[in-house]
Amino acid sequence: MTDTALTAQDIADFLQNNPEFFDQHAEVFATLQVPHPHGTRAISLGERQILTLRERNRELEWRLNELINNADSNEAIGDHVSQWCARLLGESEPQHLPGEIALGLAEQFDLNHVGLRLWNLAGLTPTGYGAPVSQDVRDFTDSLKTPYCGPDTEFEAVNWLDAKPQSLALIPLRFESDQPSIGLLVLGSDDPVRFNPEMGTVFLEAIGRLASATLRRLNTPAPQNPA
């Protein structure tokens, strides 16, 4: 005896392949009862469709609000980057640029801790931002192709900060992407989620490129005072 029992998939396939079914049997559509998605009572198919559309609208509204919030946040960050760049462009003394890079970022982005060390720059003085760093730090910076973000604060460069942060961003500085590093920018926050591994690094990479481009002015030997 042949088993002719219909499966749920058979019924679904039939309705998809015969869209005129409910036109020909309108009374079925009007009287069909289906389970309520959030309760135990039965509702009509039309009511179920309305509930589904409302849920989809709420989801779309949530996504739209998320996009708007992200756009507002990105606009604010872009404005802070622009003001920071204006500060760098307004500095006429190359020796003051490292300080403007670090202090400007701290002010524009309300950062608790900022550290910066530079090397391989012809016009750099061997003190302050140009103080010697270990070869390990240089090798580590050379290995960074994109900024690091996260809660790991055991890096040697953290010692450049005035206190240990809860989260950290490490931005390598180099003139070109395929060239050795010229420095490392350390951004620290007392907020443990300010810099997290899941965050995007587009703006941090832009900050690294802009800082590196500015430091080209420091890549010429400092003028010698006449004897």
Side-chain angles (χ1 to χ4, degrees):
M1 181 176 179
T2 303
D3 185 3
T4 59
L6 294 175
T7 66
Q9 188 60 51
D10 292 333
I11 297 172
D13 292 341
F14 172 81
L15 293 176
Q16 288 181 338
N17 295 327
N18 298 272
E20 73 284 354
F21 174 82
F22 284 114
D23 288 334
Q24 298 171 356
H25 303 277
E27 73 285 355
V28 175
F29 182 84
T31 60
L32 186 63
Q33 298 286 299
V34 296
H36 191 286
H38 305 298
T40 57
R41 66 186 180 90
I43 58 176
S44 70
L45 185 59
E47 288 179 282
R48 177 61 181 266
Q49 287 180 311
I50 291 173
L51 288 174
T52 299
L53 289 174
R54 286 176 179 171
E55 290 180 355
R56 289 179 179 175
N57 284 339
R58 281 195 292 268
E59 182 180 354
L60 290 173
E61 183 178 357
W62 181 84
R63 290 182 179 178
L64 178 60
N65 288 334
E66 185 179 32
L67 288 174
I68 292 173
N69 290 334
N70 288 340
D72 290 342
S73 177
N74 289 340
E75 182 178 3
I77 293 174
D79 183 58
H80 287 304
V81 171
S82 176
Q83 294 183 49
W84 175 65
C85 286
R87 178 170 177 166
L88 297 182
L89 291 172
E91 177 53 62
S92 59
E93 175 53 59
Q95 292 296 329
H96 295 167
L97 288 174
E100 291 298 314
I101 290 172
L103 298 177
L105 286 173
E107 293 177 5
Q108 288 297 326
F109 294 97
D110 193 24
L111 294 167
N112 303 112
H113 317 278
V114 177
L116 174 64
R117 289 292 187 276
L118 303 169
W119 50 84
N120 294 337
L121 294 173
L124 186 67
T125 58
T127 58
Y129 295 110
V133 299
S134 70
Q135 188 61 46
D136 286 342
V137 168
R138 295 193 184 199
D139 292 341
F140 170 73
T141 306
D142 284 339
S143 72
L144 283 177
K145 302 307 178 186
T146 58
Y148 162 83
C149 296
D152 186 352
T153 58
E154 297 304 318
F155 297 99
E156 182 179 339
V158 172
N159 295 326
W160 306 342
L161 306 179
D162 55 355
K164 181 172 287 191
Q166 294 297 308
S167 62
L168 192 69
L170 302 175
I171 306 175
L173 304 180
R174 49 175 60 90
F175 291 138
E176 301 294 342
S177 60
D178 58 347
Q179 291 183 356
S181 60
I182 60 168
L184 180 64
L185 187 57
V186 184
L187 310 181
S189 174
D190 293 337
D191 181 353
V193 297
R194 174 74 181 273
F195 299 110
N196 62 83
E198 288 75 33
M199 69 181 291
T201 60
V202 172
F203 282 108
L204 294 178
E205 291 177 35
I207 286 172
R209 289 193 299 269
L210 292 168
S212 299
T214 299
L215 290 168
R216 286 184 182 275
R217 295 167 55 193
L218 200 55
N219 200 33
T220 55
Q224 300 296 319
N225 293 324

